[in-house]
Each structure stands twice: as C-alpha cells, then as structure tokens.
Amino acid sequence: MEEVIKIEGGHRLSGTVRISGSKNATVALIPACVLGNKPITMYGIPNISDVESLIVLLKELGVSVENKGDDTLYIDPSNMKNIPMVSAAVQKLRASYYFMGALLGKYGHAEIKMPGGCYLGPRPIDLHLKGFEALGATVNYENGCYVLDAKELRGTNIFLDISSVGATINIMMAAVYAKGRTIIENAAREPEIIDIATLLNKMGAKIRGMGTSTIRIDGVEELGGCFHEIIPDRIEAATYVLMAAAMADDMTIENIIPTHLDAILIKLDQIGINMEVGSDFVRIFKSEGPLKPTEILTKPYPGFATDVQQPFTALLTQCNGVSTVTETIYKERFKHCDELKRMGANIDVHQPSAFIQGKTDLHGAKVTATDLRCGAGLVVAALMAEGVTEIHDIYHIERGYDNLDGKLASLGAKMWREKV
Ligand code: EPU
C-alpha cells in the first residue's frame, strides 16, 4: 500500500499562508551546529522529513537534540563523538554531506557514506572535495565511504569553477578553524549562504563577504553556542506565489523576504499577474485577461532559481503562446514535463530547454513526483486541473514542504491523502 495525495482541481484559493523556515538553509544550519561545543537554539525549523533525517544523524553522533515548541530545536553538541556516518539516514538526503565540512573542520577527520537526495541528473561533489584538499585534507573513497583526514587545516585561496551552493557552504564550515585566512572566490551568493555564515559568526567564527562572490574566513580557536532564527524559505514562498497566480482571487503569502523572489516576481509581472509586494509579503490578485508567454533561464542567485522552474512550468501551460524554460544548472531537470503531459500539457523538451505551448486545459491524472520540485509543479497543476489528480511518491514532497495539507486546506483547496 502506498499513500498518495489526491487533489480535486478547480477550487479558487484565498486567504493568507505563512511561509516556514528555509529547507535549504536548515539542512546546512543543523550540521553547522556541531562545529561548536555549546548548545544552539534554532527557531523556525520546518517540519519536513529532511529535518527528521538530520536529527537521526545528530543523535547517532551523540548530539543531544530537544524539541522546544513547534518550530524550535535545542541542539547540544557538548558530548558528541566523531563516528563514521554510515547509517541509512545519510542516504535519505543530499545535505548529509555538510557533515563532511563540519566534522573535518572540528576533528580533522570525517568518514561518511555517499549522500542521497533528488536525482536531477549528475550531481558531482568534486568542488567540495577539491576545496577540502586545498585546505590540507586528504580525500579517499573506500567501500562506498568518503574518508577525509587532515593533521592541520590551513587557510588558502580557493577558486570555485562553478559557484556551487553546497561547495561554498562545505568549504566555509571546514575553514572556520583553519590556521590563517581562507578566501573563496566565485563563491555562491544564495541567501542561504548568508544565513549559515551568520550562524557561524554568532558562534564566534570570522566570516566576511557572504552574499558576495568573495568570502573571507579567518580561522578561530573556538566556537560556542547562540540563538538563531532561520530565514524564510524562498522556494516554498515561490511555490505558493505560483499556486496563487494559478488559482487565487486574492491571496497573501507572508513571512517572506520579497527581494529573494525578485527574479520570479518579474517573470510573473511579465506574464500578466496582478500583485502587490509589501515589506514581508506578496499579495496576488485574480488576473484579468489572458496570460502572456515568457522565456525563463535558470541561473545562480540572484537569477531565476532552478528550484522554481518546475512549478513555474505548470503555470506556463496557462499562457497563450509558446513559453520556453532553459536549464543552465541541471540540464536534465525536466522529468516533471512528462508528468504534466499526462495532465494535458503540451510540452516539447529538447535539453536544456522545454517549450510549453499554451493555453491548455489540464485534467486530473495519475502522476508521480519524481523529485521534490517536480512534486511542487504537480500540486500547482492539480489545483488548476479539472477532476482529481493522484500524486504518487509523495515522500519527495514531504522532504521539503512543511504542512502542505494544512496550508492548502486553509486556502480553500481540496486535498486529501489515500492509501492505494
Ligand atoms: N556541481 C559540480 N561539482 C560540485 C558541486 C556542484 O559540478 O562539486 C554542479 C552541479 O552539478 C550543478 C551546479 O554545480 O550543476 C550547481 O550545484 P550546487 O552545488 O550549487 O547545488 P547543490 O548545493 O547541490 C543546492 C540546493 C538545490 C538547488 C541548487 C542550485 C540544497 C540542499 N540544495 O544544491 O536545491 O537546486 O543548490 O540552486 O541546498 C531543491 O531544493 O529542490 C534543490 C535541489
């Protein structure tokens, strides 16, 4: 028996939805907590299965973890031990690789199984490993495990060939205790990186330049505890903005940092979506007249986020004319197009682009969430479709969307779960 999500489309949405803490920040913030020796209290933890997997991993390392209310975690690494990370939980998410940087930085040794996560085409971690080596570590791959060792980590200049989010964060974590200064050039500029650096600085690290493409880390001797509030999830926010653009009469998406969504809001404006952008909210109104097609090119931040192109593609099926989506980050990230086609979408994929011919009326169908954001795209499509859509492999969606059922219900959508 498998649990599926069923959505009856065609119900208009209205009201206010509150966005949770950022998944992609949280999955790095939690491993970052083990770098110090004192407790950290973290507010705004999203209730998603990736966090559950990370808590399992923390407990395996002997870190004490307590829930303090709905969205607050108290993480105390003072009695932790550095053991090989080889349990099944490692392979449930990609972000378990942040323990590489954290454990290498703290102990000079890390042993960890190859991490899992969404399949979006090849996702190498060569830049993380080259960064660790540049800091003075040796990297070996033995029996399905990465083994990292360093007698001493030394600050150095590291140029990233690609401005990778994961490599930037992992190197930053490995470098906090390194002797001297580390400079990461062509660093990724995503808001999540600023959040991790902010946490580390509150713990006592000396990181400057986060949010720019040059990050400077001056090694310190000791890190302690702190309180930290996670930034709002810009991808969850964009997903609800897209649901609103598709189906709302008047809907507000609150607890967001609107500038994080600039590239997405500009595209929505171009296709003809009516909106009001406030200091910490976006309000979307029913659009009058047909929507116009557009061209999307995914880029690192502040460009159009690759994680939003899948749900955006669902909306593009409602634009009159041909829209294009070109992937520059993950050239194979188009599995959602096959699923949308089952619902009546007219899409041709010629990697790295998808051509979406609209407007098409969507109808309910049996579809599969092949990865997290594909799942988000299918939810957006299902809300618009005539009849009932049945979404399979919903564990992908549960990895990244906090309380999807409750949030959708409060907005007037008709969604339920069934065992089939
Ligand atoms: N890359 C390499 N070598 C590396 C690292 C990356 O070639 O060592 C390539 C990747 O294959 C990709 C590009 O560089 O083509 C960018 O990858 P990046 O490292 O920036 O991605 P990531 O850190 O693995 C994070 C998010 C992804 C998001 C990307 C891009 C987390 C946990 N994941 O992944 O989020 O798509 O950045 O913004 O932060 C999602 O939330 O659904 C998701 C997949």
Side-chain angles (χ1 to χ4, degrees):
M1 292 279 264
E2 181 199 357
E3 190 173 60
V4 297
I5 286 178
K6 289 199 173 182
I7 295 176
E8 183 181 273
H11 298 278
R12 302 294 299 173
L13 304 180
S14 62
T16 298
V17 62
R18 189 175 170 80
I19 296 307
S20 303
S22 159
K23 161 193 167 275
N24 285 347
T26 305
V27 298
L29 289 166
I30 290 178
C33 291
V34 310
L35 274 159
N37 289 312
K38 299 247 166 69
I40 289 174
T41 303
M42 190 104 67
Y43 305 104
I45 299 267
N47 186 5
I48 53 176
S49 64
D50 270 9
V51 168
E52 285 166 23
S53 305
L54 287 167
I55 292 176
V56 169
L57 293 174
L58 286 178
K59 289 187 173 162
E60 284 171 6
L61 289 168
V63 176
S64 135
V65 187
E66 279 174 56
N67 276 312
K68 301 257 177 184
D70 261 5
D71 67 350
T72 304
L73 272 189
Y74 176 86
I75 300 174
D76 181 359
S78 49
N79 290 317
M80 74 178 279
K81 48 197 182 306
N82 185 14
I83 56 158
M85 300 185 69
V86 292
S87 77
V90 174
Q91 285 182 314
K92 288 208 169 137
L93 76 167
R94 185 167 172 78
S96 43
Y97 63 27
Y98 287 128
F99 283 105
M100 287 185 183
L103 296 177
L104 178 67
K106 184 167 181 172
Y107 298 107
H109 176 79
E111 216 169 309
I112 179 165
K113 242 195 203 163
M114 185 67 194
C118 288
Y119 183 79
L120 312 173
R123 297 178 78 182
I125 59 166
D126 55 310
L127 299 172
H128 305 228
L129 303 177
K130 278 185 199 158
F132 299 147
E133 284 172 338
L135 289 167
T138 57
V139 178
N140 287 298
Y141 189 65
E142 297 163 6
N143 307 321
C145 261
Y146 284 103
V147 183
L148 315 178
D149 273 301
K151 280 213 179 68
E152 181 183 77
L153 294 167
R154 286 191 167 276
T156 185
N157 284 19
I158 296 172
F159 178 86
L160 295 179
D161 292 332
I162 303 172
S163 56
S164 152
V165 175
T168 303
I169 294 175
N170 235 340
I171 295 168
M172 217 161 66
M173 294 210 272
V176 286
Y177 289 120
K179 290 247 150 31
R181 174 171 286 186
T182 302
I183 298 180
I184 310 176
E185 297 279 8
N186 197 30
R189 293 180 288 159
E190 270 66 4
E192 292 75 21
I193 288 162
I194 304 180
D195 207 23
I196 317 312
T198 303
L199 170 86
L200 292 170
N201 282 346
K202 285 187 201 167
M203 291 165 70
K206 285 194 179 151
I207 305 176
R208 301 289 178 265
M210 56 278 199
T212 78
S213 53
T214 304
I215 297 180
R216 272 195 343 264
I217 304 133
D218 286 314
V220 295
E221 298 273 311
E222 205 184 352
L223 294 180
C226 68
F227 295 87
H228 186 75
E229 178 154 10
I230 302 165
I231 56 168
D233 193 315
R234 65 195 167 97
I235 311 299
E236 187 200 17
T239 306
Y240 281 96
V241 166
L242 287 162
M243 291 179 197
M247 284 308 282
D249 292 326
D250 181 354
M251 179 172 144
T252 300
I253 296 91
E254 68 169 22
N255 188 38
I256 64 169
I257 300 175
T259 48
H260 289 174
L261 301 180
D262 277 350
I264 286 113
L265 297 179
I266 287 168
K267 286 292 164 189
L268 285 173
D269 184 50
Q270 277 175 12
I271 67 172
I273 301 296
N274 294 324
M275 66 184 106
E276 177 195 340
V277 181
S279 57
D280 66 350
F281 69 87
V282 176
R283 189 169 169 194
I284 306 280
F285 304 97
K286 186 171 189 203
S287 47
E288 288 118 36
L291 297 179
K292 296 186 278 291
T294 191
E295 288 174 3
I296 287 173
L297 188 66
T298 66
K299 287 276 178 190
Y301 189 83
F304 191 101
T306 164
D307 298 335
V308 181
Q309 64 92 347
Q310 291 154 300
F312 210 112
T313 298
L315 180 65
L316 293 176
T317 64
Q318 303 306 302
C319 298
N320 275 335
V322 180
S323 297
T324 60
V325 173
T326 301
E327 251 300 339
T328 71
I329 314 285
Y330 298 111
K331 296 195 171 60
E332 295 177 23
R333 199 175 197 176
F334 289 109
K335 290 213 183 100
H336 58 296
C337 293
D338 290 332
E339 302 304 311
L340 291 173
K341 279 155 82 172
R342 291 183 213 281
M343 301 177 69
N346 184 350
I347 307 178
D348 274 326
V349 176
H350 298 284
Q351 283 175 23
S353 297
F355 301 87
I356 303 107
Q357 170 78 57
K359 169 181 190 260
T360 47
D361 291 331
L362 300 178
H363 53 78
K366 278 189 189 176
V367 290
T368 301
T370 55
D371 59 78
L372 170 59
R373 308 303 172 187
C374 163
L378 295 176
V379 171
V380 174
L383 294 170
M384 297 187 281
E386 194 184 330
V388 175
T389 299
E390 180 175 311
I391 307 178
H392 290 250
D393 287 1
I394 58 172
Y395 61 92
H396 283 297
I397 301 177
E398 287 165 348
R399 287 192 37 223
Y401 286 90
D402 180 2
N403 188 21
L404 179 71
D405 308 45
K407 290 184 184 184
L408 279 183
S410 77
L411 295 168
K414 201 155 178 216
M415 166 190 160
W416 65 100
R417 288 167 187 249
E418 259 179 37
K419 294 247 178 5
V420 293

